[in-house]
Every structure is written in C-alpha cells, then in structure tokens.
C-alpha cells in the first residue's frame, strides 16, 4: 500500500522530481535523481513499486530508467578523470572502464586522470570549446589505462628505468613509477590501435543469402546423381551440429564438405567457402 512521507522527505521528492522534469535532456541529473528516489523509496508516497512510479509519473520503462541511472553512475566516476560524456549512450560505452576505476585506490585514480590529461588535444586560443575533454578518446583506451595502473601496483615487479634491474614498483620514485606506467599504457594502446586498424582494413565478408546459395548451387553445379545435403547430427556433448555437403548419390562418396557449425546458415556458408576454394 502507498505510504505517507515525512515532510522533509516530501520536500526532497519534490526537488528531485523537479530535477527529473527540468533535466530530461541532462542524463546525469536525471539519472542521479531517479536513483535517489529509488534508494530512499520516495516513490511509495503514491505507488507500491518503483516500476509503477516510473511508468505512471514519467512514462519510463524499468530498462529505460536503468540505463539513465547506470549512465549517471558512470559519468560520476569519469568526471574526476576529466571525461564528461555528452549523452547517455556515450557514457554507457565507458561502463567497463568506470568499473575498473572504482576498483583503484584514490592515488591510482589520480594517475589515470593524469594519463587522460596527457592525451587531451592542445587548447587553441580563442577556441570556444577549448576546455572540453577529448570526446574522441575511446573508452577502450581509458580501460587500458585503468588496467595498467591496477596491475602495476607497489608490489609489481618492473625493470628499473636506469639500471634495468628487476625491482618492486613501490621502491621507485613517483616520477619513475609514472613513466613506467605511461610506457606500458603507450605500448598496449598502440597494440590496440593496430588491431583496430587491421580489423577496419580487413576485407569485408561477402553477404551471402545461404538459402539462395544452396538452391542456386544445386541448380547450376550438381551433376547427375549428385545432391547437396544439410545434415544435423549429435556432436557427442548433448548438443548438435549441422554439416553441409555434396554427395554422389550412386556411391555415397562425399565430394565436398564444409566445416560443422551450430546453425544451418553457418554450415551452408562453410560449404560455400569450401567449394569456392
């Protein structure tokens, strides 16, 4: 049953709902306000559940509200790093990076902030958005920064920048620790970028309608007595696999066979790749 709120709770709910109403284009304020309404159960003044409140008061579904609240939480973690996502969707791409950052000690978080600052584009005099953070900084690269900082803690074994001897990270000076971290981040970031470039330049797979291909291949390439089979059989683990193959109907000889797959589509495409060489 709906419950009554204390006067101070009613006042806070009114303020929060004003924030939601006036800030629907500001995902951070909206998400934070909804989280506070949920966590303090302010919704119970007129509703039995938070879900009913969302639908009745704002027309939100639980997933919609959940995305807003999650994005607001992510933005709150990113803000001290100098990263301020422009919208809810952009914020949610940083979820994994933000989670890693929350697992770091405050001093480690400051190192990540310094790393982020180090890759910000230089400000140009008179530029309107000169103070804006680097929105083109991929979330994956922030995740790399946080993961390296987390891994290279005081107990990590590293090579001394001068002697090359193996030492504990904690025995180095702060500038030495930062340079080692930055070097590791640069190496991992470069590897990530090269991998992304390779993916982007790789030939795109041909978009083949597997059903049409099966019928066309059968009509144009099968000889007398040959047939194209799509066979589904147990794989021995309790699941099944599909295999596409060309068979001589007279002798039973398998003339061509694609690799097994978990779907008929993939099985047919595997056969297409095999017969094309």
């Amino acid at each position: 049953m709906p419950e009554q709120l204390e006067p101070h709770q009613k006042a806070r709910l009114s303020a929060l709902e004003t924030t939601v109403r006036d800030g629907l284009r500001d995902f951070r304020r909206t998400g934070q306000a909804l989280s506070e309404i949920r966590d303090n159960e302010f919704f119970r003044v007129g509703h039995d559940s938070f879900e009913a409140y969302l639908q009745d008061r704002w027309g939100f579904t639980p997933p919609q509200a959940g995305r807003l609240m999650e994005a607001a939480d992510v933005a709150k973690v990113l803000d001290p790093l100098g990263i301020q996502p422009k919208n809810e969707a952009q914020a949610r791409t940083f979820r994994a990076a933000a989670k890693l950052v929350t697992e770091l000690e405050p001093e480690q978080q400051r190192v990540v902030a310094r790393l982020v600052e180090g890759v910000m584009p230089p400000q140009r005099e008179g530029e309107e958005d000169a103070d804006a953070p680097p929105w083109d900084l991929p979330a994956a690269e922030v995740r790399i920064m946080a993961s390296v900082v987390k891994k290279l803690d005081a107990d990590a074994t590293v090579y001394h920048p001068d002697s090359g001897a193996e030492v504990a990270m904690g025995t180095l000076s702060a500038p030495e620790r930062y340079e080692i971290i930055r070097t590791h981040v640069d190496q991992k970031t470069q590897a990530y970028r090269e991998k992304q470039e390779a993916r982007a330049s790789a030939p795109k797979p041909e978009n083949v309608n597997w059903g049409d291909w099966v019928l066309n291949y059968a009509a144009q390439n099968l000889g007398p007595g040959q047939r194209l089979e799509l066979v589904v059989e147990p794989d021995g683990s309790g699941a099944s696999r599909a295999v596409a193959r060309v068979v001589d109907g007279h002798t039973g000889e398998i003339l061509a066979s694609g690799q097994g797959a978990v779907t008929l589509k993939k099985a047919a495409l595997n056969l297409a790749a095999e017969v094309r060489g």
Side-chain angles (χ1 to χ4, degrees), residues 183-201:
T183 298
H184 278 72
V185 167
D186 288 347
Q187 292 171 347
K188 289 185 176 295
T189 299
Q190 182 61 30
Y192 164 77
R193 290 175 179 172
E194 290 175 356
K195 186 176 181 180
Q196 294 301 105
E197 290 173 3
R199 285 180 178 177
S201 60

Side-chain angles (χ1 to χ4, degrees), residues 108 149-158 167-172 177:
Q108 293 176 309
V149 171
K150 182 178 181 181
K151 182 178 180 180
L152 295 181
D153 59 11
D155 296 327
T157 300
V158 296
V167 296
M169 187 73 161
T171 64
L172 300 176
R177 292 196 301 271

Side-chain angles (χ1 to χ4, degrees), residues 196-208 276:
Q196 294 301 105
E197 290 173 3
R199 285 180 178 177
S201 60
K204 299 294 186 290
E206 185 178 358
N207 187 14
V208 178
R276 285 173 183 165

Side-chain angles (χ1 to χ4, degrees), residues 11-24 29-30 33 37 53 57-58:
R12 184 56 181 162
L13 174 60
S14 177
L16 291 170
E17 289 191 330
T18 298
T19 295
V20 175
R21 183 176 60 252
D22 296 343
L24 288 177
R29 295 180 62 209
T30 301
I37 292 170
Y53 167 80
R57 187 72 176 85
W58 306 109

Side-chain angles (χ1 to χ4, degrees), residues 2-277:
E3 300 179 17
Q4 294 297 316
L5 299 181
E6 296 295 329
H8 72 280
Q9 294 175 317
K10 289 182 180 180
R12 184 56 181 162
L13 174 60
S14 177
L16 291 170
E17 289 191 330
T18 298
T19 295
V20 175
R21 183 176 60 252
D22 296 343
L24 288 177
R25 294 187 178 182
D26 185 338
F27 74 93
R28 283 164 292 210
R29 295 180 62 209
T30 301
Q32 289 167 6
L34 289 174
S35 292
E36 188 171 341
I37 292 170
R38 177 199 60 194
D39 295 345
N40 291 282
E41 298 187 345
F42 289 159
F43 57 83
R44 58 191 169 85
V45 66
H47 300 84
D48 293 331
S49 67
F50 184 55
E51 291 74 15
Y53 167 80
L54 290 172
Q55 181 61 47
D56 184 52
R57 187 72 176 85
W58 306 109
F60 288 166
T61 64
Q64 286 175 314
R67 288 192 294 269
L68 274 169
M69 292 186 289
E70 178 185 57
D73 288 342
V74 168
K76 185 176 181 180
V77 174
L78 296 177
D79 189 60
L81 306 182
I83 301 174
Q84 298 174 356
K86 293 182 291 187
N87 52 53
E88 170 202 332
Q90 187 181 64
R92 287 190 289 110
T93 66
F94 283 86
R95 283 177 297 183
K99 183 177 184 300
L100 272 173
V101 170
T102 61
E103 296 171 357
L104 301 177
E105 298 294 332
E107 178 58 34
Q108 293 176 309
Q109 293 177 3
R110 286 190 285 272
V111 172
V112 175
R114 185 178 174 188
L115 290 166
V116 170
E117 183 182 9
V119 297
M120 292 176 70
Q123 298 181 9
R124 293 190 293 243
E125 186 176 354
E127 186 177 22
E128 181 178 353
D129 295 329
D131 293 330
W135 299 123
D136 58 342
L137 179 63
E141 295 190 13
V142 179
R143 188 171 70 248
I144 289 171
M145 294 174 184
S147 63
V148 169
V149 171
K150 182 178 181 181
K151 182 178 180 180
L152 295 181
D153 59 11
D155 296 327
T157 300
V158 296
Y159 293 104
H160 193 283
D162 295 326
S163 68
E166 290 188 350
V167 296
M169 187 73 161
T171 64
L172 300 176
S173 66
E176 290 171 335
R177 292 196 301 271
Y178 178 77
E179 281 306 309
I180 288 175
I181 289 172
R182 188 183 61 79
T183 298
H184 278 72
V185 167
D186 288 347
Q187 292 171 347
K188 289 185 176 295
T189 299
Q190 182 61 30
Y192 164 77
R193 290 175 179 172
E194 290 175 356
K195 186 176 181 180
Q196 294 301 105
E197 290 173 3
R199 285 180 178 177
S201 60
K204 299 294 186 290
E206 185 178 358
N207 187 14
V208 178
N209 183 308
W210 70 277
D212 289 345
W213 180 87
V214 167
L215 294 175
N216 290 337
Y217 183 86
Q220 299 173 15
N221 297 285
L222 294 185
Q226 295 180 352
R227 62 175 181 262
L228 191 156
E229 299 179 341
L230 281 169
V231 180
V232 179
E233 55 192 11
D235 66 0
S237 67
S240 60
R241 68 170 189 159
V243 177
R245 60 197 182 196
V246 179
V247 177
D248 188 313
H250 300 298
T251 65
E253 179 185 2
I254 297 176
L255 305 176
S257 178
Q259 301 232 342
V262 296
T263 65
L264 293 175
K265 174 182 178 180
K266 182 60 177 173
L269 295 179
N270 286 346
L271 176 60
E274 178 67 23
V275 297
R276 285 173 183 165

